[in-house]
């Protein structure tokens, strides 16, 4: 029987791929200062009651790449200081209200590559401080649904990042994400045919929403109502045939919209009126080009959003640096949207060469000779002002001459 009794000062213990298949409560007895424990790749099948009771100050535990089929709250009982729990690549098939003990300090839990199909409400009620959860496996689809008006992620009010892979839902309904008031990043991949109204209504802090590769066919026009702080929306590689009018009316801070790889043929005329948008990916769609697309913007559709970089400069205090995150955007001509009804030619080439569409500003201008001075360079403005001044002076002199002639007596 393995025992580490007497190793009272050890802070980190790593046992990988050592065929450690069985754990018992005495194994870590007396390891009060142990902070990090990693038991990856050992073929562990279950966690006995109070398996880590001798090391109750653990901050992180990794049980990844084992063969754990079931979790019971007694297996992790007493770990009130635990912050990071890694359980990826095991054999868990479901989670319920008795899977976890109270873990008040838990920040991150990784459950990827487990064939989890169901999550019963109240599963995460004992994780009130958790910030990040990852779920999903290629071996089984994770079913998303509500249970008698309860969501599967209730009580995770401080959760900031939720990643769900290989999800399954015929219709993503209101209440699935109930209680996720603090969520900032939501990523879902899998199979979701329809997204109903108000699904993301409670996510007022949501910044990034990635629901790409989900086979989505239908979006409610009210699906994004409430997510007012959304900055990045990824709907790429779905089965969308249309974008509902008004879908993005509530998203005044939206910067990146990705719609590539769908079945779109047209867009609402107001789509390019988003006040903060910087990137709109529309390539790999069978566009039917008409003059209704004359308000499309080349510099938005032919640009790619690269990973954020850091820019640092020296501060006022000696040896101090001030760093900030910088968003990087680059032009890429290969991303141009193309017309399926013009043999795959560029949308902008077709609008200019074949359709000869006037821009929306020229179309609505009542005076064709009127020039918008805001778009002129400085030297053109000076010349224009000089001409205007001379014209006014000439008109004034002509008027004065006519007035003098009218005052002279007629013969």
């Amino acid at each position: 029987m393995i025992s580490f009794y007497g190793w009272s000062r050890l802070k980190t213990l790593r046992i990988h791929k050592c065929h450690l298949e069985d754990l018992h409560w005495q194994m870590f007895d007396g390891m009060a200062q142990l902070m990090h424990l990693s038991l990856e790749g050992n073929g562990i099948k279950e966690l006995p009651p109070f398996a880590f009771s001798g090391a109750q100050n653990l901050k992180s535990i990794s049980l990844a790449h084992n063969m754990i089929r079931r979790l019971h709250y007694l297996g992790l009982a007493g770990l009130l200081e635990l912050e990071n729990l890694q359980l990826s690549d095991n054999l868990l098939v479901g989670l319920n209200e008795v899977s976890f003990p109270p873990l008040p300090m838990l920040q991150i839990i990784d459950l990827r590559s487990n064939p989890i199909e169901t999550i019963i409400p109240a599963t995460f009620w004992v994780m009130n401080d958790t910030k990040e959860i990852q779920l999903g496996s290629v071996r089984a689809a994770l079913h998303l649904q509500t249970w008698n008006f309860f969501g599967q992620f209730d009580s995770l009010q401080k959760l900031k990042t939720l990643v769900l892979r290989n999800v399954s839902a015929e219709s993503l309904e209101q209440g699935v994400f109930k209680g996720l008031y603090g969520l900032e990043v939501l990523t879902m991949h899998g199979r979701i045919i329809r997204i109903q109204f108000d699904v993301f209504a409670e996510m007022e802090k949501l910044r990034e929403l990635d629901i790409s590769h989900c086979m989505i066919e239908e979006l409610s026009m009210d699906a994004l109502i409430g997510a007012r702080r959304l900055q990045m929306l990824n709907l790429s590689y779905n089965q969308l045939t249309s974008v509902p009018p008004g879908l993005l009316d509530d998203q005044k801070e939206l910067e990146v919209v990705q719609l590539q790889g769908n079945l779109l043929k047209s867009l609402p005329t107001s789509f390019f009126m988003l006040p903060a948008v910087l990137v709109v990916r529309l390539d790999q769609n069978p566009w039917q080009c008409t003059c209704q697309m004359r308000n499309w913007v080349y510099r938005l559709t032919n640009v790619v959003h690269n990973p954020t970089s850091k820019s640092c400069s020296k501060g006022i205090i000696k040896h101090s640096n001030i760093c900030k995150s910088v968003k990087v955007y680059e032009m890429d001509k290969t991303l141009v949207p193309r017309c399926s009804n013009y043999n795959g030619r560029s949308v902008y080439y077709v609008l200019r060469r074949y359709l000869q569409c006037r821009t929306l500003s020229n179309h609505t201008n009542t005076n064709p000779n009127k020039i918008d001075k805001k778009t002129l360079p400085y030297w053109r403005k000076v010349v224009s002002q000089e001409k205007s001044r001379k014209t006014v002076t000439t008109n004034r002199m002509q008027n004065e001459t006519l007035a003098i002639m009218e005052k002279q007596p007629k013969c």
Side-chain angles (χ1 to χ4, degrees):
M1 185 173 61
I2 300 174
S3 175
F4 293 94
Y5 184 81
W7 295 41
S8 58
R9 296 184 181 181
L10 193 67
K11 293 185 177 180
T12 301
L13 178 59
R14 183 171 179 252
I15 307 173
H16 285 192
K17 300 180 181 179
C18 293
H19 304 286
L20 181 64
E21 298 181 359
D22 298 317
L23 300 178
H24 55 86
W25 69 271
Q26 294 176 323
M27 182 177 294
F28 308 104
D29 192 25
M31 305 183 75
Q33 295 190 33
L34 189 65
M35 307 291 285
H36 308 286
L37 175 63
S38 182
L39 302 174
E40 296 184 8
N42 282 295
I44 299 171
K45 296 180 180 179
E46 64 176 350
L47 300 180
F50 306 100
F52 308 102
S53 60
Q56 295 186 357
N57 293 316
L58 278 169
K59 296 289 186 182
S60 69
I61 294 179
S62 179
L63 294 163
H65 308 288
N66 281 287
M67 301 179 65
I68 301 173
R69 296 180 177 273
R70 175 177 172 269
L71 284 178
H72 190 270
Y73 70 93
L74 290 179
L76 297 168
L79 299 177
L80 302 180
E81 303 294 327
L82 191 65
E83 297 177 357
N84 191 323
L85 179 58
Q86 300 289 325
L87 286 165
S88 62
D89 200 4
N90 276 279
L91 301 175
L92 299 172
V93 295
L95 299 175
N96 53 48
E97 66 278 6
V98 297
S99 295
F100 300 101
L103 298 170
M105 304 298 291
L106 191 67
Q107 302 288 305
I108 300 173
I109 178 169
D110 188 348
L111 292 159
R112 290 175 295 175
S113 299
N114 279 279
I116 298 174
E117 298 182 4
T118 58
I119 300 176
I120 305 299
T123 295
F124 302 109
W125 284 9
V126 290
M127 301 179 185
N128 298 327
D129 206 46
T130 305
K131 302 294 190 301
E132 179 179 340
I133 293 179
Q134 297 196 43
L135 286 157
S137 168
V138 296
R139 291 178 286 176
L142 174 63
H143 299 290
L144 294 180
Q145 63 183 96
T146 57
W147 299 70
N148 297 326
F149 303 104
F150 286 99
Q152 294 168 297
F153 305 97
D154 278 352
S155 82
L156 293 170
Q157 298 182 7
K158 295 184 179 181
L159 193 69
K160 295 185 179 297
T161 301
L162 179 60
V163 179
L164 304 173
R165 295 178 177 86
N166 195 17
V167 298
S168 176
E170 285 294 323
S171 180
L172 198 62
E173 55 192 18
Q174 183 184 10
V176 170
F177 302 114
K178 182 180 179 181
L180 299 180
Y181 305 114
L183 197 68
E184 297 180 2
V185 178
L186 175 59
T187 301
M188 288 188 294
H189 304 310
R191 183 178 180 273
I192 304 173
I193 304 303
R194 291 178 297 276
I195 296 183
Q196 296 185 8
F197 63 94
D198 293 349
V199 171
F200 311 105
E202 296 183 349
M203 301 182 185
E204 296 183 356
K205 296 183 179 180
L206 190 65
R207 294 183 293 102
E208 298 182 11
L209 177 58
D210 182 352
I211 42 179
S212 60
H213 299 274
C214 284
M215 305 182 187
I216 300 172
E217 298 178 3
E218 182 181 341
L219 272 175
S220 168
M221 64 179 298
D222 297 328
L224 299 175
I225 283 184
R228 297 183 179 87
R229 297 187 183 179
L230 198 63
Q231 297 178 6
M232 192 280 288
L233 173 63
N234 190 349
L235 287 165
S236 62
Y237 302 103
N238 286 298
Q239 303 293 320
L240 292 172
T241 56
S242 64
V243 175
L247 175 70
L248 304 177
D249 285 355
D250 218 19
Q251 284 65 50
K252 307 301 182 184
E253 300 179 16
L254 194 60
E255 297 180 356
V256 179
V257 184
Q258 295 181 244
L259 286 167
Q260 72 270 24
N262 279 280
L263 302 174
L264 298 171
K265 296 182 179 180
S266 63
L267 285 176
T269 55
S270 61
F271 189 83
F272 279 89
M273 296 181 183
L274 297 168
V277 69
L278 297 172
V279 178
V280 181
R281 288 284 305 276
L282 299 174
D283 51 294
Q284 303 174 57
N285 281 283
W287 299 109
Q288 294 290 313
C289 292
T290 66
C291 282
Q292 295 294 326
M293 302 162 72
R294 62 184 179 271
N295 64 331
W296 283 32
V297 184
Y298 176 88
R299 61 178 175 81
L300 297 181
T301 60
N302 293 11
V303 68
V304 61
H305 180 210
N306 288 331
T308 302
S309 62
K310 283 189 177 182
S311 176
C312 299
S313 60
K314 292 184 178 180
I316 300 175
I317 303 175
K318 189 177 180 181
H319 303 302
S320 65
N321 292 327
I322 300 175
C323 297
K324 62 180 180 180
S325 297
V326 179
K327 297 178 180 179
V328 181
Y329 303 94
E330 291 184 1
M331 292 296 295
D332 188 346
K333 293 182 180 179
T334 63
L335 304 179
V336 63
R338 300 185 177 276
C339 305
S340 62
N341 56 335
Y342 283 89
N343 296 323
R345 290 183 170 89
S346 164
V347 167
Y348 305 103
Y349 180 81
V350 170
L351 293 177
R352 182 180 68 253
R353 184 69 180 271
Y354 291 93
L355 299 178
Q356 298 181 354
C357 304
R358 291 185 297 174
T359 62
L360 192 60
S361 58
N362 290 334
H363 182 72
T364 57
N365 195 354
T366 56
N367 184 4
N369 298 321
K370 186 177 179 181
I371 300 175
D372 187 5
K373 294 183 179 180
K374 293 181 180 180
T375 62
L376 294 176
Y378 180 75
W379 68 272
R380 288 287 304 275
K381 291 181 181 179
V382 173
V383 173
S384 178
Q385 291 174 359
E386 185 66 21
K387 289 182 178 179
S388 298
R389 186 181 64 80
K390 289 182 179 180
T391 302
V392 171
T393 302
T394 302
N395 292 337
R396 187 174 68 249
M397 293 176 64
Q398 290 177 353
N399 292 334
E400 290 177 355
T401 302
L402 290 174
I404 293 173
M405 293 176 64
E406 289 176 358
K407 290 180 180 180
Q408 292 181 356
K410 298 181 181 180
C411 297

